[in-house]
Amino acid sequence: MISYTAGNFGLILTGRLIQAIGVGITFPTIQTVLLVIFPPEKRGSMMGLGGIVIGLAPALGPTVAGFILDNYSWRDLFGLMLIPVGIAIVMTIAFVRPVIEVKKSKIDVWAMMLSTIGFGALLYGLSSVGSDGWTSRIVITSIVVGLIFIGAFVRREWPQKEPFLNVRLLTIPSFTVASMITALSNTTMIGIQVVLPMYLQNVRGMSPLHSGLMILPGALIYGVVSLISGHLYDQMGGRRLALVGTFLLTIATVPFAMLTRQTSYSFIICEYTVLMIGVALVTMPLTAASSVDLKGIQLSHGTAVNSTMRQVMTSMGTAILGSVLANVMSNSNPAHSLLQSAPLVYRNQSYIAAMHGFRAAFLVATVFGIIDFIFACFVKNEKKGA
């Protein structure tokens, strides 16, 4: 509602921050409930079902947003969302009941402030790279301040009996490896989802709706494969799914780094679909696998750490891709004077500069995929005989 009625950017940002708080509470809660109420042998299937909600909605976002922007006002991006939000609130009041033991706990205000400043400064620094460059004082200062505050946050939380965020869980290898895989997979997916529509619209001249429709098949396939991958995890464990999923993710990302202005649309659709299959094979099954060595209250803490890693790394990855895109494009742009003396040459060189930027950004996404596959090699199969 705040963003829908906003009269300036500050109010839009405020509304988006409140939305982020709501999502930050809801998604970990969904995962915690699924992990608690279902036995380990059924967690994969249930997490796969939950993955449709958690993963499919962001994947469908570009298509829905493109349709709204092509036919209505930008305000309707927020206004139309009031309907499903209202339905969700009513259903929550009517059907949601406590399923796990609830106990009162104090909120560590200092830890919350340290984490907010730390992650906020780090993300601001990375986001500013595109406009200010890596050597900018504001970029370097923000990143350094962010790292210092994150370090202070970890130091404060480590000895706590009831931590704000149980970072000690990262000492459990199975949890850390599985969490890193899901975080990197999500980072690569969201990065491609951000950069690919920009390529389609800025280089290929597509409308927001048509660029969204280009990635719609992959989004739909993601929902189907999420269900299948959940059942497969219950039967064979996470190792094979992690290896196959991250391999498909990486292989599908490589061709994006070689896109041209003439690359066929069918090829782009197929590559994106393969990428989404890889992500679907990894995300929710490996989220379930991260809980294998967790017990009791550790499940809820593990979900919080997993979600934090995923959201922070996704934001950082998107910022890095955006900065690489902007920097490479800026460094490759032709001199502005050429626009007057040879406008056709200027236009052609501008296209070439844009392609250099997009290829560089997709190449970074490929690197994320390679690192993801390396982590997958360390997944241990918890299913005996599989």
Side-chain angles (χ1 to χ4, degrees), residues 66-73 76 209:
F67 175 79
I68 294 174
L69 290 175
D70 274 359
N71 296 278
Y72 304 98
S73 165
D76 294 312
L209 173 59

Side-chain angles (χ1 to χ4, degrees), residues 225-378:
V225 178
S226 288
L227 284 175
I228 299 174
S229 66
H231 289 288
L232 290 176
Y233 171 77
D234 289 336
Q235 296 174 6
M236 65 176 64
R239 178 174 173 80
R240 293 179 185 176
L241 290 176
L243 290 171
V244 173
T246 55
F247 178 77
L248 290 177
L249 170 68
T250 305
I251 291 299
T253 308
V254 171
F256 286 121
M258 297 181 284
L259 287 178
T260 68
R261 285 182 281 172
Q262 292 79 33
T263 303
S264 69
Y265 294 135
S266 58
F267 179 81
I268 296 174
I269 293 173
C270 290
E271 287 300 317
Y272 183 77
T273 300
V274 173
L275 181 146
M276 293 302 289
I277 292 173
V279 175
L281 288 174
V282 170
T283 305
M284 299 316 292
L286 268 294
T287 300
S290 68
S291 68
V292 169
D293 294 324
L294 305 184
K295 298 179 181 179
I297 192 65
Q298 286 184 331
L299 288 172
S300 58
H301 284 297
T303 300
V305 174
N306 188 300
S307 297
T308 300
M309 287 178 60
R310 185 166 61 245
Q311 296 301 325
V312 170
M313 288 185 63
T314 298
S315 299
M316 290 175 57
T318 303
I320 291 172
L321 290 182
S323 67
V324 169
L325 171 62
N327 276 326
V328 174
M329 189 181 300
S330 177
N331 293 333
S332 303
N333 272 333
H336 191 70
S337 59
L338 192 63
L339 179 61
Q340 300 297 328
S341 59
L344 293 180
V345 175
Y346 179 87
R347 179 182 179 184
N348 183 63
Q349 291 188 6
S350 295
Y351 271 121
I352 294 175
M355 287 309 307
H356 285 329
F358 284 115
R359 287 171 184 164
F362 287 129
L363 183 60
V364 173
T366 303
V367 173
F368 290 157
I370 294 172
I371 297 173
D372 203 18
F373 179 77
I374 293 173
F375 271 101
C377 295
F378 292 94

Side-chain angles (χ1 to χ4, degrees), residues 107-250:
I107 296 178
D108 190 337
V109 178
W110 282 106
M112 184 170 62
M113 291 177 59
L114 288 172
S115 63
T116 301
I117 296 173
F119 290 120
L122 181 62
L123 292 177
Y124 178 78
L126 292 173
S127 300
S128 300
V129 172
S131 57
D132 300 323
W134 285 100
T135 58
S136 167
R137 180 177 299 177
I138 185 84
V139 170
I140 295 175
T141 302
S142 297
I143 293 176
V144 171
V145 169
L147 292 175
I148 291 173
F149 273 85
I150 291 173
F153 167 73
V154 172
R155 182 176 181 181
R156 178 180 178 83
E157 290 299 282
W158 195 271
Q160 300 292 331
K161 292 182 178 180
E162 295 184 1
F164 180 72
L165 187 69
N166 194 350
V167 292
R168 291 194 305 272
L169 293 179
L170 294 175
T171 60
I172 303 175
S174 61
F175 173 78
T176 302
V177 170
S179 297
M180 283 297 299
I181 293 171
T182 56
L184 283 167
S185 298
N186 199 67
T187 299
T188 306
M189 178 186 72
I190 298 298
I192 295 294
Q193 287 176 351
V194 170
V195 177
L196 184 58
M198 294 172 62
Y199 158 80
L200 293 171
Q201 293 173 39
N202 297 339
V203 176
R204 306 299 290 268
M206 280 190 166
S207 67
L209 173 59
H210 288 138
S211 65
L213 289 173
M214 287 283 291
I215 63 178
L216 180 60
L220 297 177
I221 290 294
Y222 177 94
V224 176
V225 178
S226 288
L227 284 175
I228 299 174
S229 66
H231 289 288
L232 290 176
Y233 171 77
D234 289 336
Q235 296 174 6
M236 65 176 64
R239 178 174 173 80
R240 293 179 185 176
L241 290 176
L243 290 171
V244 173
T246 55
F247 178 77
L248 290 177
L249 170 68
T250 305

